[in-house]
Amino acid sequence: MNLRLFFLLLQVPFVALLLLSGILLSRAVDANTQATQYAEQAHEEIAEVNALLGLVLNMETGLRGYVITGEDAFLEPYHAAQARLPQAIRSLEERAARLSESERAERETHLNNFERLVERWTNDVARPEIDLRRVSKEQAEAVVASGRGKALVDRMRAETAAYTEAAQASLQAREALAARRFQILRTTLLLAGLAVLLGSALVAWWGADWLSRQLGAVGAAAGRLARGEQAQLPKSSLAEQRRLAAAFNSMSHQLEEARGQTQSHLHELEVQERSLRQLGELSDLLLAARSLEEGAQVASLALPALLPESSGELLLFAPSRNILQPLAAWGTAPGRTMPHDTCWALRHGDTLWPDERSFAAPCQGAELGGCPYICLPLTAHGETLGLLRTTVQTQMSSADRTALQGLARQLALSLDALLLQDRLRQQSIRDALTGLYNRRHYEDYLSASLGRASRDGTPLTLVALDVDHFKRFNDTFGHDAGDAVLVQVGAALKAAVQPPYEAACRPGGEEFALILPGTDAATALQRAEALRQTVEGWTLTHAGTPLGQLTVSIGVAEIGSSSAAELTRHADEALYAAKRGGRNQVVIWQPDLGDVMENANTLVHS
């Protein structure tokens, strides 16, 4: 064996270790990418499951409104949700088809159960209630009271919860697998480095017996290389040694590049892991938020961390859909309201990158902080909710663009859930007929307002109002006319309060109430009298039939040291005194209402 062949054979283990390290590193990067993609798909899948349950709840809400009112308009959300439900289920089935056999079987079981429950609910509850409501409200309400519909909806909730748990369990399993692979990669690279170190030491020890003194530099250089230092062999007059030096120096350079690439890949993995962790934290916090305002606070803190060295703003459509209002802003972004039709990205319906603006005219706010901005429309379930605008200080890679679009998708889904939550909350505290706050919110808000007034030492007045002879009115003109009167009175009460602290409520039936924080009894008395005169001056008709004069009786009570229950009782006592005194008048509560009624000319304005 000549010197050339000997040294060529010595290179084989090192090259094999390098190849093995490169293969393992490539597989680890691929596995991390797959885990990232699966995480995004899992979050989208969970969001679709939540949307699927939302469709069922929309159907139940519309059906409930129809049973209560008998108006076909309340069935519109029912039919709309019913039409979208098959597509939503098919979308989840298509997602499940791309999973492994065990995951697909579990997902399909929950979907099939959910679909059967929806069909049972539609056939056994919804359609019978609709048919019965057209015949008799009492029969339809009897079906509602049976609890069958609620039981089926609860089971649907359980199926969607089980589906979500299965998706999250799969996600956690994939993440755990990725973590294990990464740990294996680190261990393998460590062992490979130890193997290189041990091999170099053995070569140095073994070659010392038969290599000449001029080759001693090879052992020293190999030792430095094994310790991670850059090493170069000097040139020699020997042809074999020159070839050896060239091969050794080439290997040293390749190892240095491989070490640099490994560090670069590890840094990229750390950045991606940190970004995924922050994005997951943002998603969890947004899902845990109880209102859009809380979501805005979370976004204001999270976006500067997720998009460092940038400025930008998060804008949502106003209810009128003609302007965009700032929800969060960071950096030097102005956070101002802007018309929706000035943004090219919203017109185009897709992300507008700075290098794609060659033919697009500048739009309002085209420069944020002196840098071209990126516009990303926020779209969820086919509806555009708003716009994410951000600047970039460096050239964006394809991975950076994908991550930014993923952030926009996550924001859109989370904000859509918050908007839906706000709408559902409003539905839960509002009276369906008049739009006023219902009894539940009335009691909660009165207790809270009473606590604030007692703590701050400010006045608070409760006004109780009742429509005079409403039962006789209903019996004479029918319930539809009665509902129309209640709607008209509710509108008058809405106009009589000053949001956001004052509240107009309908505790039930023909009873109404005004909660007036910061208002004393004398001022409340004047406002109640103005309201009474307004109602008395109405000329009402329904379906072309004159309804006659409508009047109301009003009781006013101011907070003393009373509780919410006692303040309500005082207002009711004043209201009953107004009715006993002949109705169509305002009475303010005093400890001795008998004396108050004897002096009605001074206390009642009618």
Side-chain angles (χ1 to χ4, degrees), residues 8 10-22 25 196 225 228-232 243-263 265:
L8 286 175
L10 287 179
Q11 305 304 313
V12 173
F14 298 99
V15 174
L17 287 173
L18 286 174
L19 291 175
L20 178 61
S21 300
L25 182 60
V196 171
L225 185 62
E229 302 174 3
Q230 189 173 4
Q232 296 287 326
R243 289 191 293 270
L244 173 63
F248 184 88
N249 292 340
S250 175
M251 181 184 66
S252 175
H253 179 69
Q254 291 177 9
L255 284 174
E256 186 67 23
E257 288 184 347
R259 188 181 298 111
Q261 292 175 359
T262 301
Q263 293 296 328
H265 288 315

Side-chain angles (χ1 to χ4, degrees), residues 73-134:
F74 283 90
L75 289 179
E76 292 179 1
Y78 169 84
H79 293 305
Q82 190 179 42
R84 291 174 55 190
L85 202 60
Q87 179 61 36
I89 293 176
R90 284 197 299 273
S91 177
L92 285 172
E93 289 175 344
E94 292 173 358
R95 286 185 180 277
R98 297 193 291 269
L99 300 175
S100 64
E101 183 175 354
S102 60
E103 293 175 330
R104 182 173 64 252
E106 184 176 7
R107 302 284 211 288
E108 288 177 349
T109 298
H110 292 307
L111 280 177
N112 291 336
N113 291 341
F114 183 87
E115 194 169 7
R116 285 194 296 270
L117 289 170
V118 170
E119 184 177 358
R120 284 185 58 192
W121 182 84
T122 302
N123 295 332
D124 298 349
V125 177
R127 290 175 181 169
E129 287 183 12
I130 292 172
D131 294 338
L132 288 174
R133 182 60 182 83
R134 292 192 174 100

Side-chain angles (χ1 to χ4, degrees), residues 253-334:
H253 179 69
Q254 291 177 9
L255 284 174
E256 186 67 23
E257 288 184 347
R259 188 181 298 111
Q261 292 175 359
T262 301
Q263 293 296 328
S264 176
H265 288 315
L266 287 175
H267 177 70
E268 290 179 1
L269 288 174
E270 290 174 356
V271 171
Q272 291 178 3
E273 189 272 336
R274 183 171 62 253
S275 177
L276 286 174
R277 186 174 64 253
Q278 291 175 334
L279 188 59
E281 181 181 358
L282 172 61
S283 176
D284 292 341
L285 290 174
L286 288 176
L287 288 175
R290 295 185 176 181
S291 65
L292 194 60
E293 289 74 14
E294 286 188 357
Q297 294 175 358
V298 172
S300 298
L301 296 174
L303 289 174
L306 290 169
L307 302 172
E309 299 182 2
S310 70
S311 296
E313 51 195 356
L314 181 64
L315 303 108
L316 288 184
F317 273 110
S320 60
R321 302 290 295 180
N322 61 346
I323 59 171
L324 290 164
Q325 296 176 327
L327 186 66
W330 70 96
T332 59

